[in-house]
Amino acid sequence: MRRKIILALLLALLPCALAEEGPARVDCAPIELDGEWARYTLDCDAYAWCPLQLAQNGRLHLMVQNAFAPVQCPFYIALLDENLETVVRTSATSGGAADPQTLSATYDLTAGAYWLRVESWNGVYGDFSVCTDFAPSRGEENAGRGFDDAQRLKSGTIRGFLSSRTDGAFYGNELPEASQNFRDYYLLESDGGECEITLSAIEADAAFCCSLYDADLRACESAYDNPRFRVGLEAGRYYLCVENPQRAGGDYLLRLEGEGAPVPSGAAEGYDATLAAGQSARLEHVSAAADACLWGSTDPGVVSVSQDGAILGVAAGEACVAAVPTDGSAAAVFSVAVR
């Protein structure tokens, strides 16, 4: 009798035990940090397990695009760290082949192993693509010799980021302080004249400081809280330092305008480059070689750009071209007009 009771209990609990196993795991090829789209497959009632390895601390930009079937059904995406702790987990809804969906997010992460988990739900299945860019932290060990390593300004507009402590909800570990970058230094060769300097944060809750030094490293001007100020410059060398006094980091945009600002070759009418339709030119980043950058145009129908920095005027209009160095240094944004 006792054996029958035990057997009955086991049979009753068996469906629950099987249900707790969850979807089947499908191991996928590693995700490469090369800025290229790689295709993977999500099976019905399974989850794709895509390994990702970061050799350094830094900033990861992750994009996941899908056109899953059936249409308008939810599925899950998660990024897990080497301890299988969740960095972020979110749900999304498939759009079908005619309306692919792209999820895009950026995280400051420590070096180590990570996994992207894309999980089928409600019978969702099909191909999906993953693209990642990675910018390593440059290291606070550079502090103190930043003037010697200052990037030469050849453009009036620079977009950069300062890596931050990871005390937010999406970070499994705190980045070691020794790996952080809380200051960026820029070298300005000015022909003299009035120069308006604007420093603005991309994120609404961040604030940055801008300091101006002369060739002898004597402080000329310092302003806080995303400043905008005008200074008169004599011909010669100057240094700009961008920092976050709270050592919190974030993305920023630095813009220099006026007679004292750098004017790239070929610029006209306030643009970094002016082309006729069908005309080509080549852009140069402040400090990185052209082939060490990822290049992109905000409107390829106006101006297209190759991966070696060559731009081509396509049709009349205005667009921005960005050069993002693969070594994690500050990006350059060029304003281009096609007449």
Side-chain angles (χ1 to χ4, degrees):
M1 185 64 167
R2 184 180 178 183
R3 290 182 179 178
K4 290 183 179 180
I5 294 174
I6 294 174
L7 180 60
L9 287 171
L10 289 174
L11 291 175
L13 293 172
L14 183 58
C16 295
L18 292 176
E20 290 177 355
E21 290 181 1
R25 170 174 147 178
V26 178
D27 290 312
C28 300
I31 298 173
E32 301 293 339
L33 304 175
D34 56 5
E36 301 292 334
W37 287 96
R39 177 170 292 185
Y40 299 87
T41 298
L42 178 65
D43 296 334
C44 185
D45 299 325
Y47 66 89
W49 189 251
C50 310
L52 172 66
Q53 184 70 40
L54 301 184
Q56 297 173 264
N57 303 324
R59 172 164 292 192
L60 176 73
H61 180 59
L62 173 68
M63 293 180 288
V64 181
Q65 185 180 80
N66 79 89
F68 292 146
V71 178
Q72 299 302 321
C73 286
F75 61 97
Y76 289 94
I77 295 178
L79 182 66
L80 300 95
D81 65 15
E82 59 186 3
N83 300 315
L84 301 186
E85 296 288 339
T86 301
V87 176
V88 63
R89 185 173 190 266
T90 183
S91 62
T93 301
S94 59
D99 187 20
Q101 306 292 312
T102 301
L103 280 79
S104 179
T106 303
Y107 312 100
D108 284 343
L109 299 174
T110 54
Y114 292 84
W115 287 269
L116 177 69
R117 172 177 169 142
V118 181
E119 181 179 343
S120 173
W121 198 257
N122 293 330
V124 166
Y125 67 92
D127 292 336
F128 66 95
S129 298
V130 178
C131 179
T132 57
D133 291 322
F134 182 69
S137 297
R138 277 166 281 173
E140 191 161 22
E141 61 271 18
N142 288 333
R145 59 186 183 91
F147 290 103
D148 294 333
D149 295 337
Q151 302 175 58
R152 185 165 177 264
L153 284 170
K154 295 182 182 178
S155 170
T157 303
I158 293 291
R159 176 166 178 158
F161 78 87
L162 303 180
S163 58
S164 62
R165 284 199 178 109
T166 57
D167 53 2
F170 287 164
Y171 308 113
N173 299 297
E174 182 174 321
L175 289 175
E177 188 169 317
S179 74
Q180 299 305 283
N181 169 58
F182 296 103
R183 299 180 186 89
D184 278 339
Y185 291 88
Y186 297 100
L187 169 63
L188 170 62
E189 298 283 1
S190 176
D191 293 332
E194 290 286 315
C195 180
E196 185 172 79
I197 300 174
T198 305
L199 178 62
S200 55
I202 303 301
E203 293 89 358
D205 58 349
F208 295 92
C209 166
C210 183
S211 300
L212 178 69
Y213 300 86
D214 65 16
D216 296 321
L217 307 185
R218 292 177 298 198
C220 301
E221 185 85 31
S222 287
Y224 294 82
D225 297 329
N226 303 322
R228 180 174 184 173
F229 58 93
R230 182 177 292 273
V231 293
L233 303 179
E234 298 180 359
R237 172 172 294 188
Y238 293 87
Y239 294 92
L240 282 169
C241 175
V242 176
E243 61 183 319
N244 188 311
Q246 288 75 39
R247 300 166 67 84
D251 292 85
Y252 64 85
L253 191 69
L254 175 64
R255 188 184 299 275
L256 284 76
E257 300 174 291
E259 295 177 0
V263 180
S265 175
E269 302 176 15
Y271 295 95
D272 295 319
T274 302
L275 305 173
Q279 182 182 3
S280 61
R282 188 172 300 276
L283 298 175
E284 294 184 10
H285 188 273
V286 173
S287 60
D291 58 1
C293 295
L294 298 174
W295 293 83
S297 171
T298 58
D299 192 345
V302 173
V303 57
S304 63
V305 60
S306 67
Q307 289 307 306
D308 60 358
I311 57 174
L312 174 66
V314 178
E318 301 172 358
C320 289
V321 173
V324 183
T326 55
D327 66 359
S329 53
V333 180
F334 303 88
S335 178
V336 181
V338 179
R339 303 304 187 198

